[in-house]
Every structure is written in structure tokens, then in C-alpha cells.
Amino acid sequence: MRILGLSAFYHDSSACLIEDGRIVAACQEERLTRIKHDSNFPARSLQYCLQQAGCGPQDIDHIVFYEKPFLKFERLLETYLAFAPRGFKSFCKAMPLWLNEKLFQKKLLADELQDLGFSKLQTQDILFSSHHLSHAASAFYPSPFTEALVLTMDGVGEWDTTTVYLGRGSELTKIKELHFPHSLGLLYSAFTYYCGFKVNSGEYKLMGLAPYGKPIFADIIRQHLIDVKADGSFRLNLKYFDYCTGLTMTNKAFDQLFGGVQRQSEQELKPVHMDLAASIQAVLEDVILKMTRALATEHKIENLCLAGGVALNCVANGKIHDEKIFKNIWVQPAAGDAGGALGAAQAVWYGHLKNIRHTPLSAAPKIPTASWTSADDQMQGAYLGPSFSNDEILKFLESKKIPYTFSADSVLSENVVQHLTSEKVIGWFQGRMEFGPRALGNRSIIADSRSRDMQKKLNLKIKFRESFRPFAPAVLAEDVADWFDYTEVSPYMLMVAQVRKDKLLPTQSDGLFGIDLLNQVRSEIPAITHVDNSARLQTVHQDTNPRFHDLINTFKKKTGVSVLINTSFNVRGEPIVCTPEDAYRCFMGTDMDVLVLGNYILLKENQPAGERVDYKDQFELD
């Protein structure tokens, strides 16, 4: 039986196809349209999923959408009525869109599907999951656990902003919920907006900025903006926010509370913005820790699954881990709305159709820490997107008359490591594209973690992004404890850990603050060591990505270091590359030195001058 899950019309549209419960394919529409966070109907992703499964529209048994539009419309109307006459301008702007399109989403979906060949489809054939159930299903069902608490946190779905589900076997039962307008995700997004970053895409920048500042505003936030109870439940003081009825996240009262320091996009970052970032990050962590402690105490369950946009805050995830509140934590790699397509499909398979769920760990639900590996979950390393064979890559190279050398499997890693140890920046394009916001070794830019200048070079000359932003380490899973204060697996780059103290170097931070801290050489692997000596870990596993694992292992044999820089293969504002053509265009538009497409190695100095492009302004800044 085949089930097609769809997410669309807000941000990060996607499609996912499962077959008898197994995830066959999943893809975000932005990767195929080249429009960052594309919210349109995921026509191309849907077609890719059918192609990957080797089937046509007539072979799909169920189609499910990731949320319920009527409930969302109900929330919109009730919110405007509750705050009337405030928000009339916003109401007038929103209503035509809802009345002309979103309110009739079921017909819109049916029309789009019929255009793609679903000719026998009737509107009543489309199923709808709730937004947070889709998130919870995406977190629990692919996880390695037979029993877990499932915490989902985001801006808002229909009404829910935070939910707790109990997952047992094939069943998911909601046991707690918090409703709009009280939202941890929207609170964090308010500070994202106030610090001059884009809502729904700049939150990770705020998280990366936080270690440069001090949480001097945390008490003001706790006193005026959020009332947090002992169990982590909370209410926001809506006096300071404008997201319910206005066209902005914050208002004049919020601005006055923090001294009128709102930053506009692309303006200079000042120490006060770093302090604001540090402060809201501290408050977010405090709320999440209270919530997870209370849940662990109440339910006595050892496993936690996370999803929703807030679950992408890997610093907060790392705090849960460090507190040892749960023995095991599993985070859905596509934790945002894109993952809703996957969760909706699985909610139908297990919840609606009542199929029995089996996991590799079914025989041992109460597993000790670190006894599960990336192969024990159902995400296949998150490598669920399109792939391109060497023959397809060669066809592209020959069509463009692009100079290359071919490197056999037996020597590919050795040849690439020679470039890495020469401090070359390498575009690494292999296998199936990742599902979710992180590049995990198949659509990656990689470099030597030992380089003292690589962090700055990558930010300014390759990614064209803000200089303060850190880079993540890809480390051999078996060596993670040699370099970091961490002993478990983190295959999806969603946990932050500290670099081991014996790998740190002495620094003099007296009198330095903000960006001045960036230039310090803090450890033996300075290119991935953030200013607070932390790193966002990806553990690389031989069973899910043997080629990337072999590359790092070869680098280790050469240097004694089993850590590489791994950042997504794109520039600021661009979706991660999908095709060889995408990769080559990005390669020729940046200061990358080497491009590895499958087994083909391309050197920048050998490329035709006419292929160079001015890439910096190709995409709208995120």
C-alpha cells in the first residue's frame, strides 16, 4: 500500500511517499524549484516521489495533507474577533486570500493533483491530519523506540503551539497541549524579527549569535513577556506582541521595554543584539528544561522524541541531553513543516489504518543509552531525495564540455583528502539528497577542521553570509568521544556538545566581546569550535553513509583528526543544491576550489573562464 503525504501553502512545502510503512522518498519543493522555503503546491517533489517508487498516480492508495485548513481558518476568525477592532488592516489583507484560496484548500489540492494525472481522484479521497499530529507522527514512528514521550513545539499549527503525545507501539495519544497565542516558537521568532533576521528562516542565526552575548535581558523577559510555571507551561503577555492582529511580530511596547534598539535587516550587529539573542536563548532553554523535567518525572518514560520548528534549536536539545533528563533523545531531522508530509503519511498508515509497527529495538524497549545507532531508526540517514548516477553526471559534464578527472572508488577518498589537507574548500555531491534543512554528507561543502582561517573564509567567500555564524563538525561516530563531551549518536546534526577540554587551547578573552571573540584560535579543530567552545555535531556512520565515512576515515589516517567541517552546499538565500547542474553553478559562482560529483573531480583552475558567474546577488537574502 502506498500513501502520499503533502505539506504546502505556508513554508517549506514537501512531498513524501511511504510504501507498506517504509519511507521510499521525501523531498522539499525548494530544492527543485530553487525558491528558498517554497510554499507552493509541491508538484515537482510529488513527481519525484512517484518516480522513485516506480509507480504512477493510479498506484497511490491514500493522499493526506499535513494540517486541517478549516481549523486554521477558525483560529484566524476567533483571534480577530477577540482583538477587534485592533488588527482590522491585517484582517482585510488576510481575508481575500483565505476566501479565494485557503478556505477551499481541499478543492485546490484536488485540482493540483488532477493536473498531475490523478484523474480519478475525488475531493473526498483526500485525508487531513492535524498539524501537530503530523509533527508527532514524524518524530515517533521513524524513531527507534517502541515507547516514548513526543514533544512538539513550533509557532502554531491550527490552534496548538506545544503538544505532548504518548507513543506506544503503533499508537499516538495526545496528553497535553498549549494553544495560540501562547507560543514558544512565536516568542523566539519575535526576537528573531527584532534583531533584524527573517522570521521562519533566521531563528538559527539568532541561536548562532547567542554565544557572543550575555543574557542580561533574561530577567526582563521572564518578568514582562512570559509567565512560566514549574511544569514548563506558560503564557505570554500579549501587550508586547503584534502577531495576533498586526503585520509585525512586536510593537512599540516591546521596543520601549528593550530601549528602542530594534535592528533592521543587514544593519550592523551591535553588542545589545548579541545580548538579546543570548537572553531569549537562555529563556527558551529554561522553559524547555522545566517542561521535559516535569514530563520525565510524571510519566517515568526513558525516551523522548522531538519535532516542530523549535526542535531545530540544537543548543536547547543539547541542554536536555546534558541534564540527562531522558536516557535517549531522537529528533526528526526534518522537524519543521517539511517533515509534516512524512508525519501525515505515517499517521494514516499507523493511526488511521491501524497497521502494526515494528522497530529494530522492539525486543528491548528500555534500552541503555547509546545502544541504538542511526541504522535503528527508519529515516535511512535522511537520504531520501534524488540521486544521480556517474553516467548521468558524465552526460552533464560532457554536454557542457567541463574539464574533469575520473577517480575510481579505491582512490577517491585519498585524492580528495590531498585537497583537504591543502586547505582547499570542496563541494561534495554524492548519492541521495538529504531531507530536512541540514546537509549530512551528500550535498555538503567540506573542509579541514584544523584550519585557523577556514571559518572566516567559508562565511565570507563561499557562503556569502554573516561572519559570526559557526560551522558544524562531521565526526566519525566511533570517534565522537575522542573530540567532544558526548558519547551518543547525533546523525542529523541536531545536538550541540562541548569540545573536549584536552582539545582546547589557551585563550585570552579579557576585554574582548562580540565578534572580536571570533578570531581566537580556541581548539585543535578551531574551524568548528564556536566562541563558547561548543559544536553542532554530526556523527557519521558507516552503515548509512559509507562513502562519507570512508572519506573522514582517510583524512584521519593522514592527519590523526577524524573531524571535517560540513556545511550545506549552497550560498546564503539559496536552497541546498539538488542536481549536478545546481552544484556546478554554485561551484563556479563562489571561491570553492574543488568539486566532487560522484567519482568526477573538477578543479576550479581548470574550468572555462566563461562559466564563472556573479553568484553573490543571485538569491534574495534570508
Side-chain angles (χ1 to χ4, degrees):
M1 178 175 285
R2 297 184 180 96
I3 301 171
L4 181 66
L6 301 173
S7 166
F9 308 131
Y10 184 45
H11 59 89
D12 295 307
S13 294
S14 68
C16 174
L17 193 149
I18 68 173
E19 188 174 281
D20 296 334
R22 182 179 65 88
I23 304 167
V24 174
C27 185
Q28 289 150 265
E29 190 71 358
E30 67 163 20
R31 308 291 172 81
L32 305 176
T33 63
R34 312 310 298 156
I35 301 170
K36 188 80 168 175
H37 302 301
D38 196 342
S39 62
N40 292 303
F41 181 81
R44 300 186 189 190
S45 296
L46 187 160
Q47 290 171 315
Y48 154 68
C49 288
L50 295 179
Q51 180 183 12
Q52 182 67 30
C55 68
Q58 71 280 359
D59 301 310
I60 300 300
D61 298 285
H62 294 283
I63 298 171
V64 56
F65 192 64
Y66 83 121
E67 64 180 8
K68 297 183 176 182
F70 276 105
L71 282 180
K72 208 167 185 178
F73 184 63
E74 174 189 83
R75 188 247 301 166
L76 184 74
L77 283 180
E78 288 194 24
T79 300
Y80 281 125
L81 287 172
F83 286 87
R86 283 176 54 201
F88 183 71
K89 182 178 179 182
S90 177
F91 178 81
C92 291
K93 184 175 181 179
M95 277 305 102
L97 181 61
W98 272 95
L99 294 177
N100 289 331
E101 179 180 305
K102 293 194 175 184
L103 190 56
F104 301 101
Q105 236 166 54
K106 194 168 193 177
K107 184 179 184 305
L108 175 62
L109 287 167
D111 290 345
E112 293 278 8
L113 288 162
Q114 286 174 351
D115 288 344
L116 292 174
F118 290 80
S119 55
K120 297 181 181 180
L121 179 77
Q122 302 294 317
T123 54
Q124 61 266 27
D125 295 331
I126 303 174
L127 302 173
F128 291 83
S129 175
S130 70
H131 187 101
H132 272 255
L133 174 59
S134 297
H135 278 320
S138 78
F140 177 62
Y141 290 130
S143 81
F145 311 133
T146 57
E147 179 184 63
L149 287 169
V150 186
L151 177 60
T152 73
M153 302 168 286
D154 64 5
V156 60
E158 294 89 0
W159 277 103
D160 291 342
T161 64
T162 303
T163 61
V164 179
Y165 284 78
L166 177 59
R168 282 201 175 110
S170 302
E171 295 185 359
L172 264 177
T173 306
K174 187 194 287 187
I175 55 178
K176 292 180 185 291
E177 59 191 358
L178 293 174
H179 289 170
F180 181 86
H182 305 289
S183 165
L184 205 55
L186 290 175
L187 173 65
Y188 202 84
S189 291
F191 281 85
T192 301
Y193 166 82
Y194 194 72
C195 289
F197 304 123
K198 275 191 178 180
V199 172
N200 290 328
S201 68
E203 284 77 8
Y204 59 94
K205 298 183 187 182
L206 197 70
M207 179 183 70
L209 185 63
Y212 292 94
K214 297 179 180 178
I216 61 175
F217 297 106
D219 286 342
I220 293 176
I221 296 171
R222 295 185 183 105
Q223 290 168 13
H224 296 276
L225 300 187
I226 185 169
D227 178 23
V228 186
K229 304 304 182 186
D231 65 353
S233 60
F234 59 88
R235 291 182 66 84
L236 301 185
N237 185 345
L238 300 178
K239 168 186 173 182
Y240 295 96
F241 303 96
D242 208 24
Y243 58 76
C244 287
T245 58
L247 300 175
T248 61
M249 292 298 298
T250 60
N251 57 25
K252 289 182 179 178
F254 189 103
D255 195 34
Q256 291 170 356
L257 185 64
F258 295 104
V261 296
Q262 182 171 357
R263 174 180 176 263
Q264 300 303 311
S265 178
E266 304 309 308
Q267 283 185 343
E268 180 187 0
L269 279 165
K270 298 180 179 178
V272 66
H273 303 119
M274 301 170 192
D275 293 338
L276 284 166
S279 300
I280 188 57
Q281 180 67 31
V283 171
L284 177 88
E285 292 167 8
D286 180 52
V287 175
I288 291 175
L289 288 174
K290 285 183 176 179
M291 200 179 294
T292 49
R293 285 192 200 107
L295 290 171
T297 300
E298 180 180 357
H299 295 281
K300 312 295 184 188
I301 291 175
E302 297 178 336
N303 305 317
L304 175 70
C305 298
L306 296 171
V310 177
L312 293 173
N313 193 302
C314 50
V315 178
N317 297 344
K319 298 289 185 182
I320 302 171
H321 167 270
D322 293 344
E323 292 272 336
K324 303 188 185 305
I325 299 169
F326 292 88
K327 276 193 175 181
N328 303 287
I329 304 170
W330 192 88
V331 187
Q332 165 55 240
D337 278 11
L342 186 154
Q346 294 209 315
V348 169
W349 175 253
Y350 292 110
H352 182 64
L353 299 176
K354 307 297 182 184
N355 285 293
I356 301 300
R357 175 173 174 261
H358 301 284
T359 74
L361 302 174
S362 294
K366 291 188 176 181
I367 56 178
T369 301
S371 66
W372 65 278
T373 74
S374 64
D376 291 325
D377 69 36
Q378 306 300 307
M379 288 298 294
Q380 302 160 51
Y383 308 115
L384 300 170
S387 65
F388 298 85
S389 67
N390 274 332
D391 287 344
E392 290 171 307
I393 293 169
L394 179 60
K395 184 177 179 180
F396 162 71
L397 295 174
E398 297 287 2
S399 71
K400 302 275 288 185
K401 295 182 172 55
I402 295 170
Y404 64 84
T405 59
F406 179 83
S407 188
D409 288 343
S410 59
V411 293
L412 178 65
S413 290
E414 292 181 10
N415 291 338
V416 174
V417 164
Q418 287 181 8
H419 295 297
L420 286 169
T421 54
S422 299
E423 297 204 20
K424 303 294 186 182
V425 178
I426 297 174
W428 179 254
F429 182 100
Q430 305 291 332
R432 294 183 71 177
M433 182 179 66
E434 299 88 344
F435 183 54
R438 306 291 178 231
L440 300 170
N442 280 3
R443 300 292 186 276
S444 292
I445 297 172
I446 57 175
D448 190 341
S449 61
R450 303 170 303 160
S451 172
R452 297 185 173 209
D453 301 316
M454 192 59 71
Q455 194 259 9
K456 185 181 294 184
K457 178 181 178 180
L458 282 171
N459 269 330
L460 298 180
K461 294 190 174 184
I462 311 296
K463 303 283 282 188
F464 304 139
R465 69 184 198 179
E466 301 91 343
S467 62
F468 67 84
R469 289 167 61 181
F471 288 99
V475 57
L476 295 178
E478 58 271 29
D479 290 355
V480 63
D482 295 338
W483 293 94
F484 304 97
D485 289 334
Y486 196 84
T487 57
E488 291 83 33
V489 299
S490 177
Y492 303 122
M493 209 182 282
L494 286 168
M495 285 286 172
V496 162
Q498 293 289 302
V499 176
R500 278 179 55 121
K501 290 182 179 179
D502 61 343
K503 304 298 183 183
L504 298 178
L505 301 175
T507 58
Q508 293 293 330
S509 299
D510 295 342
L512 298 179
F513 66 92
I515 299 300
D516 289 337
L517 295 169
L518 178 68
N519 297 322
Q520 292 189 319
V521 178
R522 316 189 70 84
S523 77
E524 295 178 20
I525 41 176
I528 59 83
T529 305
H530 206 13
V531 295
D532 58 353
N533 297 328
S534 70
R536 187 181 70 203
L537 291 179
Q538 179 201 359
T539 53
V540 179
H541 301 255
Q542 204 277 335
D543 47 17
T544 52
N545 198 330
R547 176 162 284 193
F548 195 39
H549 186 277
D550 181 64
L551 177 68
I552 302 174
N553 195 43
T554 303
F555 182 79
K556 175 187 176 182
K557 291 176 182 177
K558 178 82 171 178
T559 66
V561 175
S562 50
V563 183
L564 289 179
I565 299 172
N566 178 15
T567 187
S568 56
F569 198 151
N570 62 340
V571 301
R572 182 183 174 191
E574 179 191 20
I576 294 173
V577 301
C578 176
T579 68
E581 185 174 3
D582 296 337
Y584 185 71
R585 189 167 51 246
C586 185
F587 171 61
M588 294 303 295
T590 67
D591 285 344
M592 253 182 282
D593 302 296
V594 181
L595 174 60
V596 185
L597 297 171
N599 286 74
Y600 296 94
I601 299 178
L602 287 64
L603 303 182
K604 179 63 68 62
E605 64 261 28
N606 294 340
Q607 301 308 306
E611 294 292 340
R612 289 299 300 254
V613 293
D614 184 5
Y615 211 59
K616 188 172 185 179
D617 298 320
Q618 290 275 321
F619 299 93
E620 181 183 350
L621 295 180
D622 62 4

